[in-house]
């Protein structure tokens, strides 16, 4: 069983990456082969609407763009499960993660009512989100609705319902004193980091275990 995690944060050692690494650790504890891809190490663009993947005489399921994502898209097809991870930027996933999903999902989608997806297999997927906002704010604001479209497309294109994990109220700066951040209480952030973040890490670990054992 192979699990690939994709980090859509530009930061390689912060909240999103930590949770993804926990999920990989969980999967590895069950003997899974694991890999982490840091999107912000790569140079690539989102879909350019060339429609090569839709041509009747073309290569369905293959994105024709040639850049650092070409090889990654091929590697993703070898995975039995994929966990996406993204910080919330302006109420949505990051630009890097959006561009990856455009390339991955659109190249495997087909404009036919009978078969919406030509992904080679049905795989388990997860999405881990990290954000500054508190759980209370997220629930009361209806914020989660902005995340539903990509969740629905992942489920539809990759074949199984995407599992979700939200990590709220994350610790954002290495030193709050150095940054203008007076709307936050560093004390409350530190409490969340020491009390809730480990719980979120355990949930991520459990997701990895579940994916490895269910595959
Ligand atoms: C450009 C930018 C936009 C952000 N927008 C939001 C937002 O709309 N809502 C929110 O709760 N947090 C927002 N944040 C905070 C991040 O989502 C949060 O710090 C996240 O945990 C960062 O993930 P990382 O530690 O893995 O890099 C934003 C951060 C940046 C840099």
């Amino acid at each position: 069983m192979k699990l690939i995690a994709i980090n859509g944060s530009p930061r390689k050692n912060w909240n999103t990456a930590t949770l993804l690494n926990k999920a990989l650790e969980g999967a590895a504890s069950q003997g899974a082969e694991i890999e982490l891809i840091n999107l912000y190490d790569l140079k690539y663009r989102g879909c350019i609407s060339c429609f090569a993947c839709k041509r009747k005489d073309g290569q369905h399921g293959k994105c024709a763009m040639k850049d650092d994502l070409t090889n990654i898209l091929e590697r993703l097809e070898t995975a039995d499960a994929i966990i996406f991870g993204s910080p919330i930027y302006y109420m949505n996933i990051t630009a890097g993660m959006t561009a990856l999903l455009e390339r991955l999902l659109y190249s495997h989608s087909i404009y036919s009512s009978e078969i919406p997806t030509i992904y080679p297999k049905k795989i388990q997927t997860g999405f881990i989100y990290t954000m500054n906002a508190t759980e209370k704010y997220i629930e009361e604001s209806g914020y989660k609705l902005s995340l539903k479209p990509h969740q629905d497309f992942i489920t539809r294109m990759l074949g199984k319902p995407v599992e979700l994990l939200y990590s709220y109220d994350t610790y954002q700066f290495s030193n709050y004193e150095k940054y203008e951040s007076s709307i936050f209480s560093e004390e409350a952030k530190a409490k969340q980091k020491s009390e809730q973040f480990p719980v979120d890490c355990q949930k991520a670990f459990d997701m990895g275990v579940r994916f490895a054992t269910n595959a």
Side-chain angles (χ1 to χ4, degrees):
M1 187 278 170
K2 182 172 175 184
L3 171 66
I4 298 184
I6 306 177
N7 180 20
S9 169
R11 303 198 293 180
K12 288 200 264 188
N13 297 304
W14 277 78
N15 299 285
T16 314
T18 303
L19 291 164
L20 289 170
N21 276 312
K22 285 288 166 193
L24 291 174
E25 236 181 75
S29 74
Q30 304 303 307
E33 189 187 333
I34 55 168
E35 181 179 351
L36 178 70
I37 294 167
N38 283 301
L39 287 182
Y40 281 80
D41 279 349
L42 310 172
K43 293 216 179 330
Y44 64 96
R45 289 185 294 164
C47 174
I48 55 166
S49 213
C50 70
F51 301 123
C53 63
K54 301 284 170 281
R55 284 185 66 103
K56 288 182 177 168
D57 60 353
Q59 276 205 302
H60 291 150
K62 295 271 173 259
C63 176
M65 291 173 71
K66 299 287 175 237
D67 58 21
D68 288 359
L69 218 52
T70 308
N71 173 39
I72 301 292
L73 293 175
E74 275 169 22
R75 283 228 296 288
L76 286 179
E77 287 198 5
T78 68
D80 302 296
I82 301 174
I83 301 183
F84 304 90
S86 179
I88 294 299
Y89 282 6
Y90 294 105
M91 299 178 77
N92 220 314
I93 52 177
T94 58
M97 181 58 82
T98 298
L100 165 90
L101 289 177
E102 286 175 6
R103 300 268 299 275
L104 172 68
L105 301 180
Y106 195 69
S107 61
H108 290 97
S109 72
I110 193 155
Y111 288 131
S112 137
S113 52
E114 304 95 65
I115 26 168
T117 179
I118 47 169
Y119 204 75
K121 50 191 174 182
K122 285 185 192 299
I123 60 165
Q124 299 180 98
T125 53
F127 216 119
I128 297 178
Y129 305 94
T130 71
M131 68 212 77
N132 242 332
T134 60
E135 181 169 12
K136 185 172 182 296
Y137 176 80
I138 294 289
E139 294 302 339
E140 288 174 359
S141 63
Y143 213 124
K144 279 185 180 167
L145 282 178
S146 61
L147 307 177
K148 201 165 177 315
H150 67 257
Q151 294 165 359
D152 288 347
F153 279 109
I154 290 171
T155 295
R156 194 158 154 225
M157 303 314 301
L158 303 186
K160 292 187 182 173
V162 57
E163 274 197 37
L164 308 175
L165 171 51
Y166 298 94
S167 184
Y168 305 100
D169 202 4
T170 52
Y171 203 84
Q172 189 172 19
F173 305 114
S174 49
N175 181 346
Y176 274 73
E177 282 177 13
K178 285 191 183 165
Y179 300 90
E180 176 49 60
S181 54
S182 46
I183 62 163
F184 302 117
S185 149
E186 194 280 331
E187 203 186 344
K189 285 279 184 193
K191 188 167 185 285
Q192 179 81 356
K193 186 182 172 199
S194 65
E195 292 177 8
Q196 182 57 42
F197 195 64
V199 175
D200 297 340
C201 285
Q202 183 61 48
K203 286 185 192 163
F205 184 92
D206 294 345
M207 184 190 279
V209 169
R210 228 173 15 257
F211 280 19
T213 46
N214 292 345

